[in-house]
Structure formats: structure tokens, C-alpha cells
Amino acid sequence: MVDLASLVVDVPDFPRPGVVFKDVTPLLASAEGLAAAVDAMVASVPGGVDVVVGLEARGFLFGPPVALALGVGFVPVRKPGKLPRESVEVSYALEYGEETLALHVDAVGPGDRVLVVDDVLATGGTAVAAAGLVRRLGAEVVGVSVLLELTFLPGRALLAEHGLDRVDAVLTSDA
């Protein structure tokens, strides 16, 4: 059995001083590690998912294999100007500014049951924004699945404030 936590490397002072970046690229480079991570993410998914939504950019690395394992499609949530057809957008606050996300208007629809996938849950703003886009198009967010949750940050609490109570993390970090 592979130790997934050992495949996530702390990078101090990246992308700016005082931040410890959680680098998942060693996990991605390990076939055994990647397979174990995807299997663990899939194992916690609630039943009846119709589509997986992955968040730019590293949600694109875990979303497609999770979708394939579930036998459903994958939809990317992108930064503005990256989607070629009509899309809906939402802007949200970050600790250091503002970000905008976009989703094709026909990517999900009424009655669709959506799983939101990303690599790391930190403050939760990106997942909440993506869930808002999904809901705006009439779909239901049935859960949020991440590889790593930073438990020292308020991400899970923010998701709960927005009705996202089903949050599953393969790994947690308190530092």
C-alpha cells in the first residue's frame, strides 16, 4: 500500500513568503500513488452522480480519472476567456484579490447530480463559487471531493455555510 501523504511535498515560501505550498506532482508522477488517490476519491462518492466538475487547474488532473471510474462525463470550470462557447461566470474574493470562474451554459442542467473535484480544499472560495455556477444552471451539487484538505483553514466551514455538507478528503493536513 502506497503512503499517499509521503507523495505530497511541502514547498515553503511558494508562491509567496509565508505560504507552504502542497505540491502533488510527486503523487501524480507515481502510477501507484495516482491510482490509489483516484480509487480513494471514488470510494467516498455518493451514489447517483451524473457528471464530475473539475476546478481549474489542478482539479483537471483528478476530475477526469474520477469521472471515468464513475462512468460519467467530466466538465471543466475555467478562468474567464478560456471557454469557446457561451458561459456563465462568477467572481469571488480571495485572500489576496479577486478571481472569476466560468462554466459553459449547457455543461450541466436541471436534475443533474454533480460532484465537484479539486486537488486541495483550503479556504473553500473556489469550490463555493463553482457550486454556485452549477446551481445557477439548475443542477444539484451532491458532494465535493478533494485529494487534500488543509484543516487549519476554514474551507469546510465555508462550504457548509453554502449548503455543501458532503465534503470528502483523501488526506488532511493541519499545517
Side-chain angles (χ1 to χ4, degrees):
M1 183 85 171
V2 65
D3 177 10
L4 293 177
S6 71
L7 296 173
V8 178
V9 177
D10 286 351
V11 181
D13 298 320
F14 184 84
R16 63 181 194 271
V19 173
V20 177
F21 184 79
K22 302 296 185 181
D23 182 11
V24 301
T25 58
L27 184 145
L28 295 168
S30 164
E32 185 181 13
L34 180 57
V38 170
D39 288 348
M41 291 175 87
V42 169
S44 67
V45 172
V49 170
D50 297 310
V51 66
V52 170
V53 166
L55 308 184
E56 181 148 343
R58 292 179 307 182
F60 298 174
L61 302 172
F62 293 97
V66 168
L68 284 173
L70 294 173
V72 300
F74 171 79
V75 171
V77 171
R78 303 287 322 257
K79 292 185 177 172
K82 300 291 184 179
L83 294 174
R85 295 180 288 107
E86 183 182 358
S87 61
V88 292
E89 293 185 354
V90 63
S91 294
Y92 62 100
L94 297 171
E95 59 274 14
Y96 50 86
E98 184 176 90
E99 185 61 77
T100 301
L101 294 176
L103 178 65
H104 276 137
V105 296
D106 60 354
V108 298
D112 285 344
R113 294 174 46 86
V114 176
L115 176 69
V116 174
V117 171
D118 206 0
D119 66 330
V120 175
L121 174 61
T123 61
T126 305
V128 166
L133 288 174
V134 167
R135 289 170 170 163
R136 190 183 317 170
L137 296 176
E140 174 189 2
V141 178
V142 297
V144 176
S145 180
V146 297
L147 173 68
L148 174 65
E149 178 183 358
L150 305 179
T151 57
F152 60 94
L153 293 174
R156 186 177 288 263
L158 182 65
L159 270 61
E161 288 174 21
H162 291 270
L164 300 167
D165 298 317
R166 178 71 188 253
V167 180
D168 294 296
V170 175
L171 301 169
T172 58
S173 174
D174 59 6

